[in-house]
Amino acid sequence: MSDASFSPALFDFLHELEANNERDWFEANKSRYERDIKEPAFAFISSVGPGLREISPELQAIPRAVGGSLMRIYRDVRFSADKRPYKTNVGIQFRHSHGKDVHAPGFYLHLATDDCFLATGVWKPPSAVLKQTRQSMLDDPDGWLSVRDDAEFSAAFELEGESLKTAPRGVDKEHPLIEDLRRKDLIAVAHLDQETVTAPDFQERFLALCRAGRPLTAWVCDAIGAPF
């Protein structure tokens, strides 16, 4: 495995982009984006791919500009009041082979000047998927608890995301798992710092975290009938 794919230059670029989020500035600095973000991200994706496939052969690591694991830096501003053209973070999603977008199960690496993290599970799933995961909790609460309370998983990750304000329809508000049954996201997050991301052993640390986070994504896939 190669040395760290990311350097402090990545965060320098994002910091400057935050202050100059306009097309003229980006075009004048596009070579920096290619050198300090895009190329290192592709190298990282290629390098961790084999390790991810050992975790699950369904995880995709695709070093490609279109349809790959690196998310576009261009914002979709068509229906947004915020017309800033560029994202000020780097997003890399290693999603399940059956998924087509950011709502697929898998792993997501987020790099930004104010927060870096690795997330696992499923974010803002479609209602049908959410219904299946809730039903799985109801049908096999011990199976869910064995994942949520797994020592290695809970030492590295915390469950985050949005929740309903009340119990889901048809669920007893006094159910022992009500806090988890109210979840609208089934994601767990391991927060990182820039020093960790730019350290020579980050790829090894990343894969170790993915192994620790595997139980949640495997559970989600089992709940929705997807291989993992």
Side-chain angles (χ1 to χ4, degrees):
M1 190 171 291
S2 62
D3 291 339
S5 295
F6 302 117
S7 75
L10 178 146
F11 295 101
D12 291 341
F13 180 88
L14 294 177
H15 181 75
E16 292 181 45
L17 179 59
E18 289 170 359
N20 301 277
N21 200 330
E22 54 192 33
R23 289 182 175 83
D24 287 346
W25 184 90
F26 186 84
E27 287 302 316
N29 289 272
K30 193 170 184 179
S31 62
R32 291 177 60 201
Y33 168 73
E34 297 280 344
R35 181 190 68 224
D36 297 334
I37 293 183
K38 194 172 182 179
E39 292 176 7
F42 284 170
F44 180 82
I45 293 165
S46 295
S47 184
V48 301
L52 288 170
R53 286 188 288 275
E54 290 179 3
I55 294 171
S56 170
E58 302 297 334
L59 292 173
Q60 295 186 307
I62 306 172
R64 194 168 64 215
V66 178
S69 299
L70 178 64
M71 301 177 74
R72 287 164 47 88
I73 196 169
Y74 305 99
R75 296 183 64 248
D76 184 352
V77 300
R78 291 174 298 171
F79 308 108
S80 174
D82 182 353
K83 297 302 181 182
R84 290 177 297 174
Y86 304 105
K87 300 173 186 175
T88 54
N89 67 271
V90 177
I92 303 176
Q93 187 191 26
F94 302 98
R95 63 173 172 256
H96 193 282
S97 62
H98 289 200
K100 297 180 179 179
D101 56 28
V102 295
H103 307 293
F107 294 92
Y108 170 73
L109 178 63
H110 182 93
L111 306 178
T113 58
D114 59 347
D115 191 19
C116 299
F117 62 83
L118 171 65
T120 183
V122 61
W123 177 71
K124 296 190 183 302
S127 58
V129 169
L130 192 56
K131 184 177 180 180
Q132 287 174 297
T133 58
R134 284 177 178 153
Q135 192 61 50
S136 186
M137 287 185 194
L138 292 167
D139 292 343
D140 183 14
D142 289 341
W144 165 248
L145 289 173
S146 70
V147 170
R148 190 196 71 180
D149 299 338
D150 176 81
E152 186 177 9
F153 171 75
S154 58
F157 289 89
E158 292 185 9
L159 290 168
E160 295 189 7
E162 297 182 6
S163 294
L164 296 171
K165 294 182 178 179
T166 186
R169 182 177 300 176
V171 175
D172 184 353
K173 65 179 181 180
E174 302 299 327
H175 193 284
L177 294 179
I178 192 59
E179 292 302 315
D180 292 328
L181 290 163
R182 289 173 48 228
R183 295 185 184 279
K184 295 164 65 176
D185 301 306
L186 271 174
I187 57 169
V189 175
H191 290 278
L192 308 166
D193 54 36
Q194 294 183 22
E195 290 75 16
T196 298
V197 171
T198 57
D201 64 346
F202 177 59
Q203 293 174 40
E204 288 85 353
R205 291 192 189 188
F206 170 84
L207 288 172
L209 281 172
C210 289
R211 287 189 290 271
R214 183 188 188 281
L216 178 60
T217 297
W219 182 90
V220 169
C221 289
D222 182 66
I224 64 177
F228 195 72

